Amino acid sequence: MIHVIAVITAKPGQRDSILAHFRANVPAVKAEKGCIEYGAAVDAQPALKFQTAYGPDTFLVIEEWESMDALKAHAAAPHMAAYAAKTKDSIASRLIHILQPA
């Protein structure tokens, strides 16, 4: 199994727009072979005192894939290229962490 944590920081005030495009793309991603989980998350409110918040412009994409090959196919999917084209001007930064079980 492959885990992916993507930390997406929008340009100020653009997070909701990116999330709308993200949500529209979710059904196509979940239909991909090898997709186990694919969803977005934002800071919990209210949170516990020890939380380190990402802030109002950031969200995480939390993914699970059956294999690295499934993740590679996902990255090359036409709907992902379309999503990237729609959101590229709204994204300030993107950090992708690809992990495997320890």
Side-chain angles (χ1 to χ4, degrees):
M1 181 181 308
I2 300 298
H3 303 276
V4 179
I5 305 294
V7 182
I8 311 296
T9 301
K11 292 179 181 174
Q14 295 296 308
R15 184 175 79 177
D16 288 344
S17 173
I18 297 170
L19 281 170
H21 290 296
F22 177 88
R23 289 183 193 107
N25 198 37
V26 167
V29 174
K30 287 190 171 182
E32 292 178 43
K33 183 179 179 185
C35 180
I36 299 168
E37 180 58 44
Y38 189 80
V42 296
D43 292 321
Q45 297 296 329
L48 300 176
K49 291 180 182 182
F50 56 80
Q51 175 181 343
T52 301
Y54 280 100
D57 295 320
T58 300
F59 68 98
L60 276 65
V61 179
I62 301 168
E63 309 175 35
E64 289 186 27
W65 296 90
E66 288 180 0
S67 67
M68 188 61 76
D69 286 340
L71 177 58
K72 287 177 184 177
H74 162 69
H79 55 267
M80 292 309 296
Y83 166 76
K86 291 174 187 174
T87 60
K88 69 178 180 172
D89 292 335
S90 298
I91 294 176
S93 70
R94 182 177 68 155
L95 302 171
I96 308 294
H97 303 275
I98 300 172
L99 311 163
Q100 63 187 22

